[in-house]
Amino acid sequence: MSTAPACPQCSLENTYADGALWICADCGHEWTAAEGGGEALVVRDSNGNVLAGGDTVTVIKDLKVKGSSIPLKQGTVIRNIRLVDDDAEHIEGNSDKIKGLVLKTCFLKKA
């Protein structure tokens, strides 16, 4: 299965990369990845709900935190999350007791 995007002009999938440009072999259209309106990153919680920056999530399982002697207990609320660029499996946030957390989305549910 090819990971090449479809042409934004003719919507055919006969495209290839040439340096920083994508080129359509059928119509000759050239575009960059930013212009192509590539697929937006979708971050989902353990239940499949879409997460966005600023959402509030709840931890669904007790988690050990590296670098801290305090574990994150089930039911801990993480407010005002931040999405990690180009990574749909992690979010950043702070709990009441631990600051600067990076958490896997499979251990979270949207509150």
Side-chain angles (χ1 to χ4, degrees):
M1 183 173 168
S2 175
T3 59
C7 176
Q9 188 170 13
C10 68
S11 70
L12 295 175
E13 295 182 6
N14 191 11
T15 59
Y16 61 93
D18 184 21
L21 292 176
W22 285 97
I23 300 172
C24 178
D26 296 315
C27 70
H29 180 66
E30 298 180 357
W31 73 97
T32 63
E35 293 172 355
E39 298 176 14
L41 183 67
V42 178
V43 180
R44 296 185 183 272
D45 69 359
S46 62
N47 295 330
N49 298 320
V50 177
L51 297 175
D55 283 348
T56 299
V57 295
T58 305
V59 178
I60 62 170
K61 174 183 174 181
D62 288 354
L63 299 173
K64 293 181 182 178
V65 179
K66 289 183 180 179
S68 175
S69 61
I70 304 169
L72 267 171
K73 295 288 187 177
Q74 179 179 355
T76 301
V77 175
I78 309 293
R79 290 183 176 83
N80 198 17
I81 65 169
R82 294 175 302 282
L83 304 180
V84 177
D85 293 336
D86 300 328
D87 190 354
E89 293 185 10
H90 294 91
I91 59 106
E92 296 176 348
N94 299 320
S95 72
D96 294 335
K97 297 180 181 179
I98 305 172
K99 306 299 181 209
L101 292 168
V102 177
L103 298 167
K104 291 189 132 233
T105 56
C106 63
F107 298 117
L108 305 172
K109 71 175 181 178
K110 194 170 184 176

